[in-house]
Amino acid sequence: MAKKKAVSLEGAVKTDAGLTYKGVIMEEVDEKCEGCERIAAVEGGKYCPTYAQPARKWAHGVCNFATHVRAEVDKTGAVKVNPLKASKRAARGR
Ligand code: SF4
């Protein structure tokens, strides 16, 4: 059973243009979103309640709201993406 999420897309409506939520067209999540706890399944698709266009969040690096990975900048200035362990996720909630 999926955990009940704090943010849902309740009331989202599927239209010819795509899923709309509060007047905004929602795009399906990016493949990089896979594993993120924020993903919400609606009408057979996966959507992000936080961003209408998840792919855009990843176009400039790492989504800052992702629950499954975190970006770290190393000494050379390169961005590294690290998977988060469940325990670290819990600690983040402090
Ligand atoms: S919060 Fe970020 S990583 Fe998670 S589903 Fe939304 S866009 Fe994807």
Side-chain angles (χ1 to χ4, degrees):
M1 281 293 278
K3 263 191 302 179
K4 187 147 169 51
K5 297 189 180 72
V7 190
S8 78
L9 289 171
E10 216 174 294
V13 182
K14 190 94 174 173
T15 69
D16 288 344
L19 190 76
T20 61
Y21 180 63
K22 292 183 177 169
V24 177
I25 303 279
M26 307 295 290
E27 290 178 7
E28 287 201 44
V29 295
D30 194 84
E31 60 183 22
K32 298 194 188 89
C33 294
E34 209 53 61
C36 179
E37 287 170 9
R38 287 180 202 265
I39 293 173
V42 182
E43 304 274 352
K46 289 183 192 168
Y47 300 90
C48 173
T50 310
Y51 295 106
Q53 297 169 310
R56 283 225 191 146
K57 283 311 290 180
W58 291 97
H60 304 292
V62 173
C63 172
N64 53 326
F65 275 87
T67 62
H68 58 313
V69 291
R70 184 178 53 192
E72 275 175 13
V73 180
D74 69 15
K75 285 183 208 128
T76 65
V79 177
K80 278 171 54 186
V81 179
N82 293 324
L84 285 180
K85 294 217 175 79
S87 57
K88 283 190 187 166
R89 277 184 209 160
R92 261 184 125 193
R94 280 181 301 197

Coordinates of all heavy atoms in Angstrom, one line a residue:
M1 N 0.8 -1.2 0.0 CA 0.0 0.0 0.0 C 0.9 1.3 0.0 O 1.8 1.4 0.7 CB -0.9 0.0 1.3 CG -2.1 -0.9 1.2 SD -3.3 -0.3 0.0 CE -4.2 0.9 0.9
A2 N 0.5 2.2 -0.8 CA 1.3 3.4 -0.9 C 0.9 4.3 0.4 O -0.2 4.3 0.8 CB 0.9 4.2 -2.1
K3 N 1.9 4.9 0.8 CA 1.7 5.8 2.0 C 0.9 7.0 1.5 O 1.0 7.5 0.4 CB 3.1 6.3 2.5 CG 3.6 5.6 3.6 CD 4.8 6.3 4.2 CE 5.9 6.5 3.2 NZ 7.1 7.2 3.8
K4 N 0.1 7.5 2.4 CA -0.6 8.7 2.0 C 0.3 9.9 2.0 O 1.1 10.1 3.0 CB -1.7 8.9 3.1 CG -2.7 10.1 2.7 CD -4.1 9.8 3.1 CE -5.0 11.0 3.0 NZ -5.0 11.6 1.7
K5 N 0.3 10.6 1.0 CA 1.2 11.7 0.9 C 0.6 13.0 1.4 O -0.6 13.2 1.3 CB 1.6 11.9 -0.6 CG 2.4 10.7 -1.1 CD 3.0 11.0 -2.5 CE 3.7 9.8 -3.0 NZ 2.8 8.7 -3.4
A6 N 1.4 13.9 1.8 CA 0.9 15.2 2.3 C 0.4 16.0 1.2 O -0.6 16.7 1.3 CB 2.1 15.9 3.0
V7 N 1.0 15.9 0.0 CA 0.6 16.7 -1.1 C 0.0 15.7 -2.1 O 0.5 14.7 -2.4 CB 1.8 17.4 -1.8 CG1 1.3 18.3 -2.9 CG2 2.7 18.1 -0.8
S8 N -1.2 16.0 -2.6 CA -1.8 15.1 -3.6 C -2.3 16.0 -4.7 O -2.3 17.2 -4.7 CB -3.0 14.4 -2.9 OG -4.1 15.2 -2.9
L9 N -2.7 15.3 -5.7 CA -3.2 16.0 -6.9 C -4.7 15.8 -6.9 O -5.3 15.6 -8.0 CB -2.6 15.5 -8.2 CG -1.1 15.9 -8.3 CD1 -0.5 15.2 -9.5 CD2 -1.0 17.4 -8.5
E10 N -5.3 15.8 -5.8 CA -6.8 15.6 -5.7 C -7.5 16.7 -6.5 O -7.2 17.8 -6.3 CB -7.2 15.5 -4.2 CG -8.3 14.5 -4.0 CD -8.6 14.5 -2.5 OE1 -7.7 14.0 -1.8 OE2 -9.7 14.9 -2.1
G11 N -8.4 16.3 -7.3 CA -9.2 17.2 -8.0 C -8.6 17.5 -9.4 O -9.1 18.3 -10.2
A12 N -7.4 16.8 -9.7 CA -6.8 17.0 -11.0 C -7.7 16.4 -12.1 O -8.4 15.4 -11.8 CB -5.5 16.3 -11.1
V13 N -7.8 17.0 -13.2 CA -8.7 16.6 -14.3 C -7.9 16.2 -15.5 O -7.1 17.0 -16.0 CB -9.8 17.7 -14.6 CG1 -10.7 17.2 -15.7 CG2 -10.5 18.1 -13.3
K14 N -8.2 15.1 -16.1 CA -7.6 14.7 -17.3 C -8.4 15.3 -18.5 O -9.6 15.2 -18.6 CB -7.7 13.2 -17.5 CG -6.8 12.6 -18.6 CD -5.5 12.2 -18.1 CE -4.7 11.5 -19.2 NZ -3.3 11.3 -18.8
T15 N -7.6 16.1 -19.3 CA -8.2 16.7 -20.5 C -7.5 16.3 -21.7 O -6.4 15.6 -21.6 CB -8.2 18.3 -20.4 OG1 -6.8 18.7 -20.5 CG2 -8.7 18.8 -19.1
D16 N -7.9 16.7 -22.9 CA -7.2 16.4 -24.1 C -5.8 17.0 -24.1 O -4.9 16.4 -24.7 CB -8.0 17.0 -25.3 CG -9.2 16.2 -25.6 OD1 -9.3 15.1 -25.1 OD2 -10.1 16.7 -26.3
A17 N -5.6 18.1 -23.4 CA -4.3 18.7 -23.4 C -3.4 18.1 -22.4 O -2.2 18.4 -22.3 CB -4.4 20.2 -23.1
G18 N -3.9 17.2 -21.6 CA -3.1 16.6 -20.5 C -3.8 16.7 -19.2 O -5.0 17.1 -19.1
L19 N -3.1 16.4 -18.1 CA -3.7 16.5 -16.8 C -3.7 17.9 -16.4 O -2.6 18.6 -16.4 CB -2.9 15.6 -15.8 CG -3.6 15.4 -14.5 CD1 -4.7 14.4 -14.5 CD2 -2.6 14.9 -13.5
T20 N -4.8 18.4 -15.9 CA -4.8 19.8 -15.4 C -5.1 19.8 -14.0 O -5.9 19.1 -13.5 CB -5.8 20.7 -16.2 OG1 -7.1 20.2 -15.9 CG2 -5.6 20.7 -17.7
Y21 N -4.4 20.7 -13.3 CA -4.6 20.8 -11.8 C -4.6 22.3 -11.5 O -3.6 23.0 -11.8 CB -3.5 20.1 -11.1 CG -3.6 20.2 -9.6 CD1 -4.7 19.6 -8.9 CD2 -2.6 20.8 -8.8 CE1 -4.8 19.7 -7.6 CE2 -2.7 20.9 -7.5 CZ -3.8 20.3 -6.8 OH -3.9 20.4 -5.5
K22 N -5.7 22.7 -11.0 CA -5.9 24.2 -10.7 C -5.5 25.0 -11.9 O -4.8 26.1 -11.8 CB -5.0 24.5 -9.5 CG -5.5 23.9 -8.2 CD -4.7 24.3 -7.0 CE -5.3 23.7 -5.7 NZ -4.4 23.9 -4.6
G23 N -5.9 24.6 -13.1 CA -5.7 25.4 -14.2 C -4.3 25.3 -14.9 O -4.0 25.9 -15.9
V24 N -3.5 24.4 -14.3 CA -2.1 24.2 -14.8 C -2.0 22.9 -15.5 O -2.5 21.9 -14.9 CB -1.1 24.3 -13.7 CG1 0.3 24.1 -14.2 CG2 -1.2 25.7 -13.0
I25 N -1.4 22.8 -16.7 CA -1.2 21.5 -17.3 C 0.0 20.9 -16.6 O 1.1 21.4 -16.5 CB -0.8 21.7 -18.8 CG1 -1.9 22.5 -19.5 CG2 -0.6 20.4 -19.5 CD1 -3.1 21.7 -19.9
M26 N -0.3 19.6 -16.2 CA 0.8 18.9 -15.5 C 1.5 18.0 -16.5 O 0.8 17.2 -17.2 CB 0.2 18.0 -14.4 CG -0.7 18.8 -13.4 SD 0.2 20.0 -12.4 CE 1.3 19.0 -11.4
E27 N 2.8 18.0 -16.5 CA 3.5 17.1 -17.4 C 4.0 15.9 -16.5 O 4.2 16.0 -15.3 CB 4.8 17.8 -18.0 CG 4.4 18.8 -19.0 CD 5.6 19.5 -19.6 OE1 6.7 19.2 -19.2 OE2 5.4 20.5 -20.3
E28 N 4.1 14.8 -17.2 CA 4.5 13.6 -16.5 C 5.9 13.7 -16.0 O 6.7 14.5 -16.5 CB 4.4 12.3 -17.3 CG 2.9 11.9 -17.6 CD 2.7 10.5 -18.0 OE1 3.4 9.6 -17.4 OE2 1.9 10.3 -18.9
V29 N 6.2 13.0 -14.9 CA 7.5 13.1 -14.3 C 8.7 12.7 -15.2 O 8.5 11.9 -16.1 CB 7.7 12.3 -13.0 CG1 6.7 12.9 -11.9 CG2 7.4 10.9 -13.2
D30 N 9.8 13.2 -15.0 CA 11.0 12.9 -15.7 C 11.5 11.5 -15.3 O 11.2 11.1 -14.1 CB 12.1 14.0 -15.5 CG 13.2 13.9 -16.4 OD1 13.1 14.4 -17.5 OD2 14.2 13.2 -16.1
E31 N 12.3 10.9 -16.1 CA 12.8 9.6 -15.7 C 13.7 9.7 -14.5 O 13.9 8.8 -13.7 CB 13.5 8.9 -16.9 CG 14.7 9.6 -17.4 CD 15.4 8.9 -18.6 OE1 14.7 8.1 -19.3 OE2 16.5 9.2 -18.9
K32 N 14.3 10.9 -14.4 CA 15.2 11.1 -13.2 C 14.4 11.2 -11.9 O 15.0 11.2 -10.8 CB 16.0 12.4 -13.4 CG 17.0 12.3 -14.6 CD 18.0 13.4 -14.5 CE 18.8 13.4 -15.8 NZ 18.2 14.3 -16.8
C33 N 13.1 11.4 -12.0 CA 12.3 11.5 -10.8 C 12.0 10.2 -10.2 O 11.6 10.1 -9.1 CB 10.9 12.1 -11.2 SG 11.0 13.8 -11.7
E34 N 12.3 9.1 -11.0 CA 12.0 7.8 -10.5 C 12.6 7.5 -9.2 O 13.8 7.7 -9.0 CB 12.6 6.8 -11.5 CG 11.9 5.4 -11.6 CD 10.4 5.6 -11.9 OE1 10.0 6.2 -12.9 OE2 9.6 5.2 -11.0
G35 N 11.8 7.1 -8.2 CA 12.3 6.9 -6.9 C 11.9 8.0 -5.9 O 12.0 7.9 -4.7
C36 N 11.5 9.1 -6.5 CA 11.1 10.3 -5.6 C 9.8 10.0 -4.9 O 8.9 9.5 -5.6 CB 11.0 11.5 -6.4 SG 10.5 13.0 -5.5
E37 N 9.7 10.3 -3.6 CA 8.5 10.0 -2.9 C 7.4 11.0 -3.2 O 6.2 10.8 -2.8 CB 8.8 10.0 -1.4 CG 9.6 8.8 -1.0 CD 10.1 9.0 0.5 OE1 9.7 9.9 1.1 OE2 10.9 8.2 0.9
R38 N 7.7 12.0 -3.9 CA 6.6 13.0 -4.2 C 5.8 12.6 -5.4 O 4.7 13.2 -5.6 CB 7.3 14.3 -4.5 CG 7.8 15.0 -3.3 CD 8.4 16.3 -3.6 NE 9.3 16.7 -2.5 CZ 9.0 17.5 -1.5 NH1 7.8 18.0 -1.4 NH2 9.9 17.8 -0.6
I39 N 6.2 11.6 -6.2 CA 5.5 11.2 -7.4 C 4.1 10.8 -7.0 O 3.9 10.0 -6.1 CB 6.2 10.1 -8.1 CG1 7.5 10.6 -8.7 CG2 5.3 9.5 -9.2 CD1 8.4 9.5 -9.3
A40 N 3.1 11.3 -7.7 CA 1.7 10.9 -7.5 C 1.2 10.3 -8.7 O 1.4 10.8 -9.8 CB 0.9 12.1 -7.1
A41 N 0.6 9.1 -8.6 CA 0.0 8.4 -9.7 C -1.5 8.9 -9.9 O -2.3 8.9 -9.0 CB 0.0 7.0 -9.5
V42 N -1.7 9.5 -11.1 CA -3.1 9.9 -11.4 C -3.4 9.5 -12.8 O -2.7 9.7 -13.8 CB -3.1 11.5 -11.4 CG1 -4.6 12.0 -11.7 CG2 -2.6 12.0 -10.1
E43 N -4.6 8.8 -12.9 CA -5.1 8.4 -14.2 C -4.1 7.6 -15.0 O -3.9 7.8 -16.2 CB -5.5 9.7 -15.0 CG -6.5 10.5 -14.3 CD -8.0 10.1 -14.5 OE1 -8.2 9.2 -15.4 OE2 -8.9 10.6 -13.8
G44 N -3.3 6.8 -14.4 CA -2.4 6.0 -15.1 C -1.1 6.6 -15.4 O -0.2 6.0 -16.0
G45 N -0.9 7.9 -15.1 CA 0.3 8.6 -15.3 C 1.0 9.0 -14.0 O 0.4 8.9 -13.0
K46 N 2.2 9.3 -14.1 CA 2.9 9.8 -12.8 C 3.2 11.3 -12.9 O 3.8 11.7 -13.9 CB 4.3 9.0 -12.7 CG 4.1 7.6 -12.4 CD 5.5 7.0 -12.2 CE 5.5 5.5 -12.1 NZ 6.8 5.0 -12.2
Y47 N 2.8 11.9 -11.9 CA 3.0 13.4 -11.9 C 3.6 13.9 -10.6 O 3.6 13.2 -9.6 CB 1.6 14.0 -12.0 CG 0.9 13.6 -13.3 CD1 0.1 12.5 -13.4 CD2 1.1 14.4 -14.5 CE1 -0.5 12.1 -14.6 CE2 0.5 14.0 -15.7 CZ -0.3 12.8 -15.7 OH -0.8 12.4 -16.9
C48 N 4.1 15.1 -10.7 CA 4.7 15.6 -9.5 C 3.8 16.7 -8.9 O 3.5 17.7 -9.6 CB 6.1 16.2 -9.8 SG 6.8 17.1 -8.5
P49 N 3.4 16.6 -7.7 CA 2.5 17.6 -7.1 C 3.3 18.9 -6.8 O 2.7 20.0 -6.6 CB 2.1 17.0 -5.8 CG 2.5 15.6 -5.8 CD 3.7 15.5 -6.8
T50 N 4.6 18.8 -6.9 CA 5.4 20.0 -6.6 C 5.7 20.9 -7.8 O 5.7 22.1 -7.7 CB 6.7 19.6 -5.9 OG1 6.4 18.7 -4.8 CG2 7.4 20.8 -5.3
Y51 N 5.9 20.2 -8.9 CA 6.3 20.9 -10.1 C 5.4 20.4 -11.3 O 5.3 19.2 -11.5 CB 7.7 20.7 -10.5 CG 8.6 21.4 -9.5 CD1 9.3 20.6 -8.6 CD2 8.7 22.7 -9.5 CE1 10.1 21.2 -7.6 CE2 9.5 23.3 -8.5 CZ 10.2 22.6 -7.6 OH 11.0 23.2 -6.7
A52 N 4.8 21.3 -12.0 CA 4.0 20.9 -13.2 C 4.9 20.4 -14.3 O 4.5 19.6 -15.1 CB 3.2 22.1 -13.7
Q53 N 6.2 20.8 -14.4 CA 7.1 20.4 -15.4 C 8.3 19.8 -14.8 O 9.4 20.5 -14.8 CB 7.4 21.6 -16.3 CG 6.2 22.1 -17.0 CD 6.4 23.4 -17.7 OE1 7.0 24.3 -17.2 NE2 6.1 23.5 -19.0
P54 N 8.3 18.6 -14.3 CA 9.4 18.0 -13.6 C 10.7 18.0 -14.5 O 11.8 18.2 -13.9 CB 9.0 16.6 -13.4 CG 7.5 16.7 -13.4 CD 7.1 17.7 -14.4
A55 N 10.6 17.8 -15.8 CA 11.8 17.7 -16.6 C 12.6 19.0 -16.5 O 13.8 19.1 -16.5 CB 11.4 17.4 -18.0
R56 N 11.9 20.1 -16.3 CA 12.6 21.4 -16.2 C 13.4 21.5 -14.9 O 14.4 22.2 -14.8 CB 11.5 22.6 -16.1 CG 11.0 22.9 -17.5 CD 11.0 24.3 -17.7 NE 10.2 24.6 -18.9 CZ 9.4 25.7 -19.0 NH1 9.3 26.6 -18.1 NH2 8.8 25.8 -20.2
K57 N 12.9 20.9 -13.9 CA 13.6 20.9 -12.6 C 15.0 20.2 -12.8 O 15.9 20.5 -12.1 CB 12.9 20.1 -11.5 CG 11.7 20.9 -10.9 CD 12.1 22.3 -10.5 CE 13.0 22.3 -9.3 NZ 13.3 23.7 -8.9
W58 N 15.0 19.3 -13.7 CA 16.3 18.5 -13.9 C 17.1 19.1 -15.0 O 18.3 18.7 -15.1 CB 15.9 17.1 -14.2 CG 15.3 16.3 -13.0 CD1 14.0 16.2 -12.8 CD2 16.0 15.7 -11.9 NE1 13.8 15.5 -11.6 CE2 15.1 15.2 -11.1 CE3 17.4 15.6 -11.6 CZ2 15.4 14.5 -9.9 CZ3 17.7 14.9 -10.5 CH2 16.8 14.4 -9.6
A59 N 16.6 20.0 -15.7 CA 17.4 20.5 -16.8 C 18.6 21.3 -16.3 O 19.6 21.4 -17.0 CB 16.5 21.4 -17.7
H60 N 18.5 21.8 -15.1 CA 19.6 22.7 -14.6 C 20.3 22.0 -13.5 O 20.9 22.6 -12.6 CB 19.0 24.0 -14.1 CG 18.3 24.7 -15.1 ND1 18.9 25.3 -16.2 CD2 17.0 25.0 -15.3 CE1 18.0 25.8 -17.0 NE2 16.8 25.6 -16.4
G61 N 20.2 20.7 -13.4 CA 20.9 19.9 -12.3 C 19.9 19.0 -11.7 O 19.2 18.3 -12.3
V62 N 20.0 19.1 -10.3 CA 19.1 18.2 -9.6 C 17.9 18.9 -9.0 O 18.0 20.0 -8.5 CB 20.0 17.6 -8.4 CG1 19.1 16.7 -7.5 CG2 21.1 16.7 -9.0
C63 N 16.8 18.2 -9.1 CA 15.6 18.8 -8.5 C 15.8 19.0 -7.0 O 16.2 18.0 -6.3 CB 14.4 17.9 -8.7 SG 12.9 18.4 -7.8
N64 N 15.6 20.2 -6.5 CA 15.9 20.5 -5.1 C 14.8 20.0 -4.2 O 15.0 20.0 -3.0 CB 16.1 22.0 -4.9 CG 15.0 22.8 -5.5 OD1 14.4 22.5 -6.5 ND2 14.7 23.9 -4.8
F65 N 13.8 19.4 -4.7 CA 12.7 18.8 -3.9 C 12.7 17.3 -3.9 O 11.9 16.7 -3.3 CB 11.3 19.4 -4.3 CG 11.0 20.7 -3.6 CD1 11.4 21.9 -4.2 CD2 10.4 20.7 -2.4 CE1 11.1 23.1 -3.6 CE2 10.1 21.9 -1.8 CZ 10.4 23.1 -2.4
A66 N 13.7 16.8 -4.7 CA 13.7 15.3 -4.8 C 14.0 14.7 -3.4 O 14.8 15.2 -2.6 CB 14.8 14.9 -5.8
T67 N 13.3 13.6 -3.2 CA 13.5 12.9 -1.9 C 14.5 11.8 -2.0 O 14.9 11.2 -1.0 CB 12.2 12.3 -1.3 OG1 11.7 11.4 -2.3 CG2 11.1 13.4 -1.2
H68 N 14.9 11.4 -3.2 CA 15.7 10.2 -3.4 C 17.1 10.5 -3.8 O 18.0 9.7 -3.7 CB 15.1 9.3 -4.5 CG 14.9 10.0 -5.8 ND1 14.4 11.3 -6.0 CD2 15.2 9.6 -7.1 CE1 14.4 11.6 -7.2 NE2 14.9 10.7 -7.9
V69 N 17.4 11.7 -4.2 CA 18.8 12.1 -4.5 C 19.1 13.5 -4.0 O 18.2 14.3 -3.7 CB 19.1 12.0 -6.0 CG1 19.1 10.6 -6.6 CG2 18.2 13.0 -6.8
R70 N 20.4 13.8 -3.8 CA 20.8 15.1 -3.4 C 22.0 15.5 -4.2 O 22.9 14.7 -4.4 CB 21.1 15.1 -1.9 CG 21.4 16.5 -1.4 CD 21.6 16.5 0.1 NE 22.6 15.5 0.4 CZ 22.9 15.1 1.6 NH1 22.2 15.5 2.6 NH2 23.9 14.2 1.8
A71 N 22.1 16.8 -4.6 CA 23.2 17.2 -5.3 C 24.3 17.7 -4.4 O 24.0 18.4 -3.4 CB 22.8 18.4 -6.2
E72 N 25.5 17.4 -4.7 CA 26.6 17.9 -3.9 C 27.7 18.4 -4.8 O 27.9 17.8 -5.9 CB 27.2 16.8 -3.0 CG 26.4 16.6 -1.7 CD 26.9 15.5 -0.9 OE1 28.0 14.9 -1.2 OE2 26.2 15.1 0.1
V73 N 28.2 19.5 -4.5 CA 29.2 20.1 -5.3 C 30.6 19.7 -4.8 O 30.9 20.0 -3.6 CB 29.1 21.7 -5.4 CG1 30.2 22.3 -6.3 CG2 27.7 22.1 -5.8
D74 N 31.4 19.1 -5.6 CA 32.7 18.6 -5.1 C 33.7 19.7 -5.3 O 33.4 20.8 -5.7 CB 33.1 17.3 -5.8 CG 33.5 17.5 -7.2 OD1 33.6 18.6 -7.7 OD2 33.6 16.4 -7.9
K75 N 35.0 19.4 -4.9 CA 36.0 20.5 -4.9 C 36.3 21.1 -6.3 O 36.7 22.3 -6.3 CB 37.4 19.9 -4.4 CG 37.3 19.6 -2.9 CD 38.7 19.1 -2.5 CE 38.6 18.3 -1.2 NZ 39.2 17.0 -1.4
T76 N 36.0 20.4 -7.3 CA 36.3 20.9 -8.6 C 35.1 21.8 -9.1 O 35.1 22.3 -10.2 CB 36.5 19.8 -9.7 OG1 35.3 19.0 -9.8 CG2 37.6 18.9 -9.2
G77 N 34.0 21.8 -8.3 CA 32.9 22.5 -8.7 C 31.8 21.7 -9.5 O 30.8 22.2 -9.9
A78 N 32.2 20.5 -9.7 CA 31.3 19.6 -10.5 C 30.1 19.1 -9.5 O 30.4 18.9 -8.3 CB 32.0 18.4 -11.0
V79 N 29.0 19.0 -10.1 CA 27.8 18.6 -9.3 C 27.7 17.1 -9.3 O 27.8 16.5 -10.3 CB 26.5 19.2 -9.8 CG1 25.3 18.7 -9.0 CG2 26.6 20.7 -9.8
K80 N 27.7 16.5 -8.1 CA 27.5 15.1 -8.0 C 26.2 14.8 -7.5 O 25.7 15.5 -6.6 CB 28.6 14.5 -7.0 CG 29.9 14.3 -7.5 CD 30.9 14.0 -6.5 CE 30.5 12.8 -5.6 NZ 31.4 12.6 -4.4
V81 N 25.6 13.7 -8.0 CA 24.2 13.3 -7.5 C 24.4 12.1 -6.7 O 24.9 11.1 -7.1 CB 23.3 13.1 -8.7 CG1 21.9 12.6 -8.2 CG2 23.2 14.3 -9.6
N82 N 24.0 12.2 -5.4 CA 24.1 11.1 -4.5 C 22.7 10.5 -4.1 O 21.8 11.3 -3.7 CB 24.8 11.5 -3.2 CG 26.2 11.9 -3.5 OD1 26.9 11.3 -4.3 ND2 26.7 12.9 -2.8
P83 N 22.6 9.2 -4.3 CA 21.3 8.6 -3.8 C 21.2 8.8 -2.3 O 22.2 8.7 -1.6 CB 21.4 7.2 -4.1 CG 22.6 7.1 -5.1 CD 23.5 8.2 -4.8
L84 N 20.1 9.1 -1.8 CA 19.9 9.2 -0.3 C 19.4 7.9 0.3 O 18.6 7.2 -0.2 CB 18.8 10.3 0.0 CG 19.2 11.7 -0.2 CD1 18.0 12.6 0.1 CD2 20.4 12.1 0.6
K85 N 20.0 7.6 1.4 CA 19.5 6.5 2.2 C 18.3 6.8 2.9 O 18.1 8.0 3.3 CB 20.6 6.0 3.2 CG 21.9 5.5 2.5 CD 22.5 4.4 3.3 CE 23.7 3.8 2.6 NZ 24.9 4.6 2.8
A86 N 17.5 5.9 3.2 CA 16.2 6.1 3.9 C 16.5 6.8 5.2 O 15.7 7.7 5.6 CB 15.5 4.8 4.1
S87 N 17.5 6.4 5.9 CA 17.8 7.1 7.2 C 18.1 8.6 7.1 O 17.7 9.4 7.9 CB 19.0 6.4 7.9 OG 20.1 6.4 7.1
K88 N 18.8 8.9 6.0 CA 19.1 10.3 5.7 C 17.9 11.0 5.4 O 17.7 12.2 5.7 CB 20.1 10.4 4.6 CG 21.5 10.1 5.0 CD 22.5 10.4 3.8 CE 23.9 10.0 4.1 NZ 24.7 10.0 2.9
R89 N 17.0 10.4 4.7 CA 15.7 11.0 4.3 C 15.0 11.4 5.6 O 14.4 12.5 5.7 CB 14.8 10.1 3.6 CG 15.1 10.0 2.1 CD 14.1 9.1 1.5 NE 14.7 8.4 0.3 CZ 14.2 7.3 -0.2 NH1 13.2 6.8 0.3 NH2 14.8 6.8 -1.2
A90 N 15.0 10.5 6.5 CA 14.3 10.8 7.8 C 14.9 12.0 8.5 O 14.2 12.8 9.0 CB 14.3 9.5 8.7
A91 N 16.2 12.0 8.5 CA 16.9 13.1 9.2 C 16.6 14.4 8.5 O 16.7 15.5 9.2 CB 18.4 12.8 9.1
R92 N 16.4 14.4 7.2 CA 16.1 15.6 6.5 C 14.8 16.3 7.0 O 14.7 17.5 6.9 CB 15.9 15.3 5.1 CG 17.1 15.5 4.2 CD 16.6 15.3 2.8 NE 16.9 16.4 1.9 CZ 16.4 16.5 0.7 NH1 15.6 15.6 0.2 NH2 16.7 17.6 0.0
G93 N 14.0 15.5 7.6 CA 12.7 16.1 8.1 C 12.8 16.9 9.3 O 11.8 17.5 9.8
R94 N 14.0 17.0 9.9 CA 14.1 17.7 11.2 C 13.9 19.2 11.0 O 14.3 19.7 10.0 CB 15.5 17.5 11.7 CG 15.7 16.2 12.4 CD 17.1 16.1 13.0 NE 18.1 16.2 11.9 CZ 19.3 15.8 12.1 NH1 19.8 15.2 13.2 NH2 20.2 15.9 11.1
Ligands
SF4_1 S1 10.0 16.7 -6.5 FE1 11.5 16.8 -8.1 S2 12.3 14.7 -8.3 FE2 10.4 14.6 -7.1 S3 8.8 14.1 -8.6 FE3 8.9 16.3 -8.4 S4 10.2 17.1 -10.0 FE4 10.6 14.9 -9.7

